[in-house]
Amino acid sequence: QVQLVESGGGLVQAGGSLRLSCAASGRTFSTYDMGWFRQAPGKEREFVGAISRSGEFTIYANSVKGRFTISRDNAKNTVYLQMNSLKPEDTAVYYCAAKGGSSWYFNQRGYDYWGQGTQVTVSS
């Protein structure tokens, strides 16, 4: 069992930056790929990006590529989402998730554990 707790959300002006953190419980954090997803009001939850278990591989949605960076610290059981050049359309609840299997990163159904989400609001 893995518990995930996101933090770092808030209100920021367009063009600003935020860093989200996702702290995981348990001793097996390094055996999970980690993903970030978001859900805007009235929209379906969508893939933002993911990082492999070792941290050597990352992948991003086209909408955030070049602006967002995912990293992880396995010693601290934490994954991060650095968000730069934020836009109003980035406003959403952001979720981290842990994937133990071999399904592709953008497949939400492949994730075993989810956090409760943290709100990010970008004002214009």
Side-chain angles (χ1 to χ4, degrees):
Q1 186 79 8
V2 176
Q3 292 185 327
L4 303 173
V5 179
E6 301 98 335
S7 61
L11 174 64
V12 64
Q13 290 188 334
S17 297
L18 279 176
R19 187 176 83 155
L20 306 184
S21 298
C22 173
S25 65
R27 297 174 292 177
T28 60
F29 178 70
S30 61
T31 65
Y32 291 91
D33 300 318
M34 298 298 296
W36 284 96
F37 295 81
R38 67 185 182 186
Q39 186 167 22
K43 295 187 177 181
E44 293 186 351
R45 188 164 59 189
E46 65 176 3
F47 174 76
V48 173
I51 188 167
S52 64
R53 297 158 200 202
S54 66
E56 293 181 351
F57 175 78
T58 54
I59 185 170
Y60 300 94
N62 287 336
S63 58
V64 306
K65 197 175 296 183
R67 300 188 298 122
F68 290 11
T69 302
I70 298 174
S71 61
R72 66 189 295 164
D73 186 337
N74 286 343
K76 296 182 178 180
N77 282 10
T78 303
V79 62
Y80 304 98
L81 178 63
Q82 177 67 45
M83 305 184 294
N84 298 329
S85 302
L86 282 161
K87 305 175 182 180
E89 51 263 45
D90 293 318
T91 295
V93 177
Y94 283 73
Y95 300 89
C96 69
K99 179 174 72 68
S102 59
S103 61
W104 193 235
Y105 292 98
F106 56 77
N107 182 3
Q108 298 188 38
R109 295 181 180 181
Y111 287 81
D112 305 295
Y113 303 102
W114 292 81
Q116 83 290 347
T118 186
Q119 176 71 48
V120 172
T121 303
V122 184
S123 63
S124 57

